[in-house]
Amino acid sequence: MDKQTQTLQQVIIKFAGDSGDGMQLTGTQFTNTTALFGNDLSTFPDFPAEIRAPQGTLAGVSGYQLHFGSVNIYTPGDSCDVLVTMNAAGLKANIKNVKKGGTIIANTDGFDPKNLRLAHIPEAENPIENGSLDGYKLIKIDVTKLTRSALEGSGLGTKEIDRSKNMFVLGFLYWMYNRDLTLSIKFLEEKFSKKPDILAANIKLLQAGYAYGETTETIETRFQVNPAPMKPGIYRNIMGNQALAIGLVAASEQSKLPLFYGTYPITPASDILHELSKYKNFGVRTFQAEDEIAAICSAIGASFGGALGITASSGPGIALKGEAMGLAVMLELPLVICNIQRGGPSTGLPTKTEQSDLLQAMYGRNGEAPMPVIAASTPADCFHVALEACRIAVEFMTPVMLLSDGYIANGAEPWQFPQQKDLPAINVSFLQEKNGDKFLPYKRDEKLSRPWAIPGTPGLEHRIGGLEKQHETGNISYDNENHEFMVKLRQSKVDKVADYIPLQKMDNGNEKGKLLVVGWGSTYGAIKSAVLQARAKGYDVSHAHIKYISPFPKNLGELFYNFEKILVPEMNTGQLIMMIRSKFLVPAVGLNKIKGIPFEAGEILNKIEEMIGQ
């Protein structure tokens, strides 16, 4: 049968199945091949918290959503055009997010009585048989049967064969969207280089899935999504935690400081350790401590010794690091603390995303312990934010909190390799001799920063510790006037950072108008998409995304006062809006979502239209 090819501008695909079906791997491989093809893209992996959730159940559904196109892509998309589901639970959990008229590719073996029962679907109501999906294009493929048939005589057991069926699905999707198999075959050759029988089986299934699309009449149309217009350069597909780790390495190179990373594993921050451990050739030292307290204290010790001290965790771990962060504030040593936020409180939703640690980052320490706070907005932006956090930390001799979240950490997008000559300089100077008749470890420069004196430097011996410091001498002081002076001085140093960061710019729209949408962190893509759509409809709306949260850019209040209304979408109950209302006394309106999943652009667009129409 002759197949037709239809050209599309953008497509949203979601892979869903049991957590053992390899949906994350399938989605990642399709993403990498799509990125190499030249499409712009954005991804949203969504997986269970349990290491091995019950098979076939709704709680065990693992999903991976990919939005790619020949146009600029800012989010993983709202509703999907194609749902690939390996079982009944995958369909039930995701059918509400499939566009009417969209395509559903269902593995029929995953809709047997057992899978229907586990998904709480009566056998008589099997959705792929009872006509309830008539509003969609339903493609039924018995992936399990075809997989077993393709690998008959391979010598592999049934369990090993079934584990490879995701490659059949991937091959079929590659045919459907006219993609090349080469990159995935290369990946498989590396992954299974020591298991030739598994390697052969996976490659055979990948090719079998492609051939299935080519030779059957399952689908009449193939789809073509052309490369997106992008700046010339070398690109790679990158996830947020990878970009963050590479940004830290770049900061080490720019500052000429050895990087020390002390951490304790926690979802979703652990991948930073995995990534940084690959860069020993850049002098990176990684240390997995016995707990969170030891992790941050080891990083503080490294900073005291003249290294670039870094630690990372998520909300519960950040809480444990609280006292040591106060110590770093008191010592006035550079330190970067990365908080990769997840749903809370306590263990909360380990694999789901949230922005609810903002107030913890701002105020979650005892005493008056201010520190700069900055936030990444996209996976690729993590690289630049990591550099900036390190710059502020070493130039102001202060701990800095860097905020990311699970959505950014696990999401992916194309990233253009930067040239080192284009990266900002990070100026570091170690004191070499006394700064007076005698050494004054807390004597300050124009940034209110104290000198960085490496232990062992002759004449610069000094004590450190958590007790209050006497101004300039650093001697222990219980003087009440000195304490108040030092508290205000440490706050002034953080406030001083505002003189050395960029003014707030509009991401979209005019600097004066009817409605300003203000965001921070991972809401960036959804807000940008919503504002672009609203402006296309003729609405007077602008978008400002705040990277520097403490201190705010110096012109932020001036921008706020230029708009009649302000909307602040956040994945929490309203933490940034609390800070904005308190500092600028503006009647900002919140749009809040605390479901462990990111905003859809449509949700924000609806709120914009509601506020503009008032």
Side-chain angles (χ1 to χ4, degrees):
M1 185 179 80
D2 292 334
K3 301 290 196 301
Q4 303 296 320
T5 299
Q6 181 182 354
T7 300
L8 302 174
Q9 273 199 331
Q10 51 189 309
V11 178
I12 302 168
I13 300 177
K14 182 152 192 179
F15 300 90
D18 188 75
S19 57
D21 285 334
M23 292 296 94
Q24 303 302 322
L25 176 65
T26 308
T28 302
Q29 282 302 300
F30 195 94
T31 297
N32 291 340
T33 297
T34 298
L36 186 66
F37 183 76
N39 294 131
D40 196 6
L41 62 87
S42 178
T43 70
F44 176 45
D46 182 21
F47 40 85
E50 291 91 341
I51 293 174
R52 196 69 180 92
Q55 280 187 305
T57 63
L58 292 169
V61 173
S62 176
Y64 187 101
Q65 185 159 314
L66 164 66
H67 185 189
F68 64 100
S70 58
V71 295
N72 291 325
I73 303 295
Y74 302 109
T75 74
D78 294 355
S79 301
C80 53
D81 301 290
V82 180
L83 172 66
V84 180
T85 180
M86 302 299 284
N87 59 19
L91 177 69
K92 186 173 182 179
N94 292 286
I95 185 63
K96 62 181 181 296
N97 294 321
V98 182
K99 292 176 182 173
K100 290 300 180 186
T103 300
I104 297 172
I105 301 172
N107 171 27
T108 55
D109 185 63
F111 289 80
D112 62 10
K114 180 183 177 184
N115 276 285
L116 290 169
R117 185 175 68 254
L118 289 169
H120 303 296
I121 299 174
E123 193 173 336
E125 298 178 15
N126 186 348
I128 64 171
E129 301 294 347
N130 68 358
S132 60
L133 300 179
D134 285 349
Y136 306 90
K137 181 174 177 54
L138 177 62
I139 300 175
K140 296 190 289 185
I141 305 176
D142 193 338
V143 177
T144 306
K145 180 180 178 182
L146 291 167
T147 297
R148 291 176 180 175
S149 176
L151 297 183
E152 189 175 358
S154 65
L156 297 176
T158 303
K159 188 175 180 181
E160 289 173 310
I161 289 174
D162 288 352
R163 196 178 291 159
S164 307
K165 61 180 182 286
N166 60 327
M167 287 297 109
F168 185 95
V169 174
L170 182 62
F172 181 72
L173 266 292
Y174 278 165
W175 173 83
M176 193 169 163
Y177 287 96
N178 199 18
R179 292 290 188 260
D180 191 74
L181 306 182
T182 306
L183 186 66
S184 288
I185 290 176
K186 185 178 179 183
F187 164 79
L188 292 170
E189 288 172 343
E190 293 176 358
K191 183 177 178 64
F192 299 116
S193 60
K194 297 180 180 177
K195 298 178 179 177
D197 51 345
I198 301 292
L199 170 63
N202 277 274
I203 293 177
K204 188 172 185 178
L205 285 174
L206 188 67
Q207 294 167 334
Y210 193 96
Y212 180 83
E214 185 72 34
T215 57
T216 66
E217 298 183 357
T218 304
I219 186 169
E220 298 176 0
T221 306
R222 298 179 76 184
F223 301 100
Q224 178 74 25
V225 182
N226 293 322
M230 302 174 84
K231 293 180 182 176
I234 301 173
Y235 287 81
R236 62 164 286 186
N237 190 41
I238 199 162
M239 299 169 70
N241 276 349
Q242 291 174 327
L244 184 54
I246 297 172
L248 294 173
V249 175
S252 171
E253 289 292 300
Q254 294 300 96
S255 63
K256 309 299 181 192
L257 294 174
L259 192 159
F260 177 88
Y261 184 73
T263 191
Y264 182 74
I266 187 171
T267 300
S270 299
D271 283 340
I272 300 174
L273 171 62
H274 304 156
E275 190 68 22
L276 277 175
S277 64
K278 301 174 184 175
Y279 293 97
K280 293 187 177 105
N281 57 318
F282 283 96
V284 173
R285 293 174 174 83
T286 53
F287 171 56
Q288 181 177 319
E290 68 268 32
D291 57 35
E292 299 281 6
I293 299 170
I296 186 172
C297 286
S298 68
I300 293 172
S303 291
F304 182 51
L308 183 59
I310 312 286
T311 190
S313 191
S314 188
I318 295 296
L320 290 169
K321 293 179 191 293
E323 184 181 352
M325 281 191 277
L327 173 64
V329 169
M330 184 65 91
L331 299 180
E332 300 191 47
L333 283 170
L335 177 72
V336 174
I337 306 119
C338 306
N339 182 352
I340 318 300
Q341 301 165 93
R342 67 188 201 186
S346 189
T347 307
L349 308 173
T351 58
K352 309 300 178 185
T353 195
E354 211 165 87
Q355 292 182 299
S356 52
D357 292 349
L358 177 59
L359 295 184
Q360 181 190 31
M362 289 292 300
Y363 310 113
R365 295 167 291 280
N366 67 296
E368 299 279 352
M371 64 173 66
V373 178
I374 67 174
S377 57
T378 68
D381 187 47
C382 286
F383 174 83
H384 302 286
V385 170
L387 266 167
E388 185 67 345
C390 293
R391 180 188 72 84
I392 293 172
V394 299
E395 293 187 1
F396 286 85
M397 294 291 285
T398 177
V400 174
M401 180 76 78
L402 189 166
L403 292 174
S404 175
D405 62 35
Y407 177 35
I408 296 175
N410 295 315
E413 64 181 351
W415 176 58
Q416 184 179 12
F417 274 61
Q419 298 290 319
Q420 186 171 11
K421 62 181 176 58
D422 298 327
L423 300 181
I426 299 180
N427 302 313
V428 179
S429 60
F430 294 113
L431 197 64
Q432 300 297 331
E433 55 187 24
K434 295 177 183 176
N435 51 1
D437 294 338
K438 59 180 181 179
F439 175 45
L440 297 173
Y442 283 78
K443 186 176 182 179
R444 297 165 193 280
D445 62 14
E446 70 280 2
K447 294 179 179 175
L448 301 181
S449 171
R450 82 174 185 91
W452 197 352
I454 297 179
T457 305
L460 304 187
E461 297 84 0
H462 62 290
R463 71 168 66 88
I464 61 170
L467 291 170
E468 183 59 282
K469 305 287 177 292
Q470 185 183 48
H471 179 47
E472 293 197 342
T473 69
N475 294 332
I476 294 171
S477 172
Y478 290 96
D479 180 79
N480 47 15
E481 296 296 332
N482 176 76
H483 175 59
E484 182 169 315
F485 176 82
M486 291 297 285
V487 166
K488 292 180 177 178
L489 186 58
R490 288 188 285 266
Q491 180 63 59
S492 296
K493 184 173 70 167
V494 173
D495 295 341
K496 194 76 175 171
V497 173
D499 293 337
Y500 296 86
I501 61 175
L503 296 176
Q504 182 67 46
K505 293 181 179 177
M506 290 294 170
D507 186 81
N508 252 296
N510 303 319
E511 295 194 353
K512 185 175 184 181
K514 193 162 187 177
L515 176 64
L516 175 65
V517 185
V518 180
W520 70 278
S522 64
T523 56
Y524 175 76
I527 294 176
K528 186 178 183 75
S529 296
V531 169
L532 286 173
Q533 292 175 50
R535 290 183 61 78
K537 292 183 176 183
Y539 293 124
D540 182 8
V541 57
S542 300
H543 171 205
H545 216 74
I546 302 175
K547 174 180 294 187
Y548 301 91
I549 299 176
S550 178
F552 284 132
K554 295 169 73 173
N555 64 330
L556 191 59
E558 182 184 337
L559 288 179
F560 288 164
Y561 302 140
N562 285 338
F563 287 85
E564 296 176 22
K565 299 176 181 178
I566 297 172
L567 171 65
V568 185
E570 291 183 87
M571 292 190 293
N572 55 44
T573 55
Q575 299 191 12
L576 178 66
I577 201 171
M578 184 187 300
M579 294 170 59
I580 289 174
R581 285 172 176 164
S582 170
K583 185 172 180 63
F584 302 106
L585 303 178
V586 292
V589 173
L591 175 63
N592 305 103
K593 185 172 184 177
I594 319 108
K595 298 181 178 178
I597 53 176
F599 273 107
E600 295 179 357
E603 294 173 311
I604 298 173
L605 178 61
N606 290 340
K607 188 66 179 179
I608 289 172
E609 291 178 329
E610 176 191 320
M611 291 184 68
I612 290 279
Q614 288 176 350

